[in-house]
Amino acid sequence: MLMIECPHCGVRPEGEFTYGGQAHVPYPEDPQALTDEEWAQYLFYRDNPKGTFRERWVHSAGCRKWFNAIRDTRTYDITSTYLGAAPAEANSTQGAQ
Amino acid sequence: MGSPHRLASGGIVDRGTSRTFTIDGRSFEGVAGDTVTSAALANGVLQVGDSIYRGRPRGVMTSGVEEPNAFVRINGEYGESMQPATITELVDGSELTWEDGIGTLDQSVDPAEYDHMHVHTDVAVIGAGPAGLAAARAAAATGVRVMLFEQDFALGGSLLGRPNEVVEGIPAGAWIEDVTAQLEQAINCRILKRTSVFGSYDSNYLIALEKRVEAPGTDGVSRQRVWHINAGRVVLATGAFERTLVFAGNDLPGVMLASAAQNYLGRYGVLAGEQVVVFTTNDSAYGVAADLAAAGASVSLVDSRASAGVDDPASVDVHHGSVAVEAIGSDRVVGVRIAPRDGDIQQTQQLPCDLLAVSGGWSANVNLHSQRQGALHWDDDLLGFVPSGAVRDQSLAGSVTGTYWTDGAVAEGIAAGSAQPDPTTAQERRTGSGTTDGLWLIPSPAGDFDTHFVDLQRDETAAGVVRAVRAGMRSVEHVKRYTSISTGLDQGKIGGVLTIGLLSQLLGEHDMASMPAGQPGQDGAEGGATDRSPSPGAIGTTTFRAPFTPVAFAALAGRARGELYDPARVTPAQARHVARGAEFEDVGQWKRPWFYPQSGEDMNAAVARECRAARTNVAYMDGSTLGKIEIRGKDAPTFLNRIYTNAFAKLSVGKQRYGVMCGPDGMVLDDGVSFRLAEDRYLMTTTTGGAAKVLEWLEEWHQTEWPELDVFFTSVTEQWSTTVVAGPRSRDVIHKIAPDLDVSKEGFEFMSFHDTVLASGIPARIARVTFSGELAFEVNVSGWYGEAVWDDITHAGAEFGITPYGTETMHVLRAEKAFPIVGQDTDGTVTPQDLGMDWVVAKKKKDFIGMRSYARAGHVEEGRKQLVSLFPTDPELRLPEGSQLVTTDNTPADPLDGIAPQPIPMIGHVTSSYRSEALDRTFALALVRDGRTRIGEEVMASFEGRFYPVQIAEAVVYDKEGARRDG
Ligand SMILES: [Zn+2]
């Protein structure tokens, strides 16, 4: 069981949270302007790095707020959680060393 | 009676407190502090239940959780089987039965209570041997919160078997008492005995099982507790397991681990044999031989090595460079044949004995370390897999690291407890623990391996491992599954490493080329050596998983059994439904009335009667379980316009609208009717099972995509009670309970709602909406009044013969009208258009969730499955939901019997199936490929290996023109 730091509530057990997949995949500005291929990219394609991954969580059994986390997919270590835009140093597609 | 093998003194048992018990009907006497096996051995009982498959006689092998042979059934109000007798605390009056390697589950209900506990601690110390005790003492001295977990009912670990060893200047027995007293006095330390930490998870989350009822003074407490522990730091002081050796007849009763023989003597004052042969490959058994000899046994020591790292024990006859090649005896050992290790194994010498104590080296107990993916490596000197370093926020201390001497273990415990670095170097470990001979298989004079047991619990021998290798198995994971080694209750605590050692001798260089990588402890896994010559390190070990020791499901369930298994949600009128004899259906956590059988009615008869009432007269149902979410804010109209496929911004205040919400992929997620209460206020209803998911969906889109919108969501499902009154005469009933309301067709339009005060004085919101196609009203009141309004409707409707109906009738009525149930007629691959609801998809909106997907090639091309109805040719045949549909030309000539060429292309499946009272026949809803172009076509439904003809028809089978909704 991971201990996850909600930016609003502090460190809480994983069971209170729900996972939300890759972070920073915004809903397209104008979906009707996209080709089928571009729309399919939004619908179906996500990164799956071995290493650092920026992902979404929601504190379902707490404040019910969404936030982002940086997690190492090899160790499950969550190095930081944050609201809004990604910290500059993290790169969601960064692979393993 | 007397206990012939109990010495007059020694050990920590209380000889003054007798414990009587029976095994297999024979009465024995033990003493307080005994386990079942120590008491049995004290009475000369060495033989236990037979082996699981081969029915071979077996004896007590160990004195701990690694026991492969000695299992008892504890008989009583609720019998418990397969309890390792070596760790079962002897309770006065116990009635026990030896198990033959397998148990029988008691079929009665276990009346005991089981609990869960949740705790946080700064330091969790696992294991209370010398390292763990020292660690807990050091940690407690720093002032932090400490918990010490010990699976045994006594603290001290292996030291209990060596009470005269000197630790920190005093005898071990006194040292244990001294440290225990310090820990018990420390207010920041909690000791949990009889508590096995069986799982170790991320963020130092531990799970442990505490057995409570054996402890004194525990009447009335729960029988076992599962502890959930969040620990800041973890100290693993989990010790090591001694291994046996693989020679002919090594499973005979009387063959026992050397450390167990020492433990029975030192801890329990029981001398298991009087004429003992100790057979070892390492130095650790020398102390055992000395202790047994000092207690009066005649002892011979057989060491496979030419020389040892310690002196020969006094008055022990030592055979260096020799091995046991065969244990002799029929139902217990009477002697052992020994031969030169590196000479002719036919040159045997026979030594008589009644106990053969063996030591094949030690396996560090790395289970909890490895559960956390802690790195391991094979050490050729220690001859075992040992940790390469601790997991983050964990420390290792004592023999789990390969430090097999007490001073080293205590020093490591002190360091670990106070969060200091490991004081022992790898080189010191090798020197301090001495060398172990890598002796994995000892050929027998007879030449076979048929009684060379590797895993005694699974009855598997070296011959089985040889077979696995000949069958092409290379990976230890494959060998494990091919042979079943390590899959028993003991999970291969002894046999696992023996198998790997054996493999290292059976496999050749060429086999190693096909050895898969990635096993724990495998060379190269940690970037180390990748020498491909056969060795345990080149093979690696199987993966360690929780639970470390067995856990009863009852303990994991705790109090979450029966009614407490899952919360049951009931509506305010629940008591009325029960009083009317309703059968209930679970919908999510809700208990919903399913149908209301009258005397003598079966389900079909009850549903037919309820359907008739709704279609021809008047009926009512409890609709309170529908999810309800109030949506407020000046941007609520904009928000709903984006969420729903159809338009909501322009919905007038006082009106309702049915809406479908979809994912961005265009597939239906949920549906329901929403009320517009005010310009900035809606009440959304959702499916009963979808309420929580929909609230999350709304919050997610608001927070993550459109935070600029002024909109708020509040779940009000429990705040409202809803009663649906449906049928041609529903207007009369509503008029009676709400006399102030104009219920005429003109005064109360379809899909409008009005707030009113009922005749009873209860404020209500009444809506005209239908889920049956009939004229229908929904009476919404505060949940507090739900029961009262149900009663008022019951009384008001009595003169019309109003009939309560349940979810089954609701399903039949809505299916006749082809109103889909999300999750039954849809499965995440179905669009509104597939359901024939193109009308609910706005064409003029700029965007809504899912809109773009309806232009994707996969949505506009032919071949999509569409909702249609089916009429079986046999009007009495009710198709099973889920039946597959195939075309007639793909079925055998005789459609009712036979096997078709395979595979048959599937064209769809049945989603809902009922008997229609209105049509007086059966019908079904189905999703069929291009179904709307197949109307009138005959296809085949396939189930139970047969084919049944059905005709495809339009989805709506009753009141196609919608004439009935106005009454
Ligand atoms: Zn929170």
Side-chain angles (χ1 to χ4, degrees), chain A residues 6 8-9 59 62-63:
Chain A
C6 170
H8 306 286
C9 308
H59 195 187
C63 63

Side-chain angles (χ1 to χ4, degrees), chain A residues 7 23-24 54 66-69 81-87, chain B residues 703:
Chain A
H24 310 299
R54 290 178 300 171
W66 285 86
F67 60 92
N68 300 316
T81 57
Y82 60 94
L83 299 169
Chain B
Q703 285 182 37

Side-chain angles (χ1 to χ4, degrees), chain B residues 232-432:
Chain B
R233 285 198 302 118
V234 170
V235 177
L236 293 179
T238 49
F241 295 116
E242 194 171 36
R243 294 189 296 261
T244 186
L245 285 158
V246 183
F247 55 90
N250 66 344
D251 67 330
L252 263 184
V255 178
M256 184 184 287
L257 293 181
S259 59
Q262 185 178 45
N263 200 34
Y264 286 118
L265 175 62
R267 175 172 172 175
Y268 304 100
V270 172
L271 189 57
E274 272 142 20
Q275 194 171 26
V276 185
V277 172
V278 177
F279 174 30
T280 187
T281 60
N282 64 88
D283 293 345
S284 71
Y286 278 62
V288 179
D291 286 359
L292 292 168
S298 105
V299 181
S300 301
L301 194 150
V302 178
D303 188 338
S304 67
R305 303 167 302 174
S307 64
V310 290
D311 294 335
D312 290 350
S315 60
V316 170
D317 170 31
V318 182
H319 303 256
H320 286 291
S322 295
V323 293
V325 294
E326 186 181 6
I328 303 163
S330 54
D331 57 2
R332 74 167 293 164
V333 67
V334 296
V336 55
R337 261 191 264 282
I338 68 169
R341 185 200 196 286
D342 299 314
D344 181 357
I345 58 167
Q346 304 297 344
Q347 297 292 317
T348 62
Q349 173 190 351
Q350 190 166 331
L351 304 177
C353 64
D354 59 1
L355 185 71
L356 176 53
V358 292
S359 179
W362 294 79
S363 300
N365 177 14
V366 296
N367 189 304
L368 294 174
H369 171 73
S370 191
Q371 281 189 32
R372 287 288 308 277
Q373 281 78 50
L376 302 174
H377 66 272
W378 178 259
D379 189 303
D380 256 333
D381 291 299
L382 296 169
L383 214 72
F385 290 101
V386 290
S388 304
V391 171
R392 200 181 69 189
D393 297 326
Q394 297 202 347
S395 304
L396 298 149
S399 44
V400 66
T401 68
T403 296
Y404 297 139
W405 71 100
T406 306
D407 290 349
V410 169
E412 288 174 12
I414 292 169
S418 47
Q420 299 299 310
D422 182 353
T424 317
T425 66
Q427 190 51 47
E428 284 169 340
R429 220 155 250 148
R430 292 190 194 106
T431 316

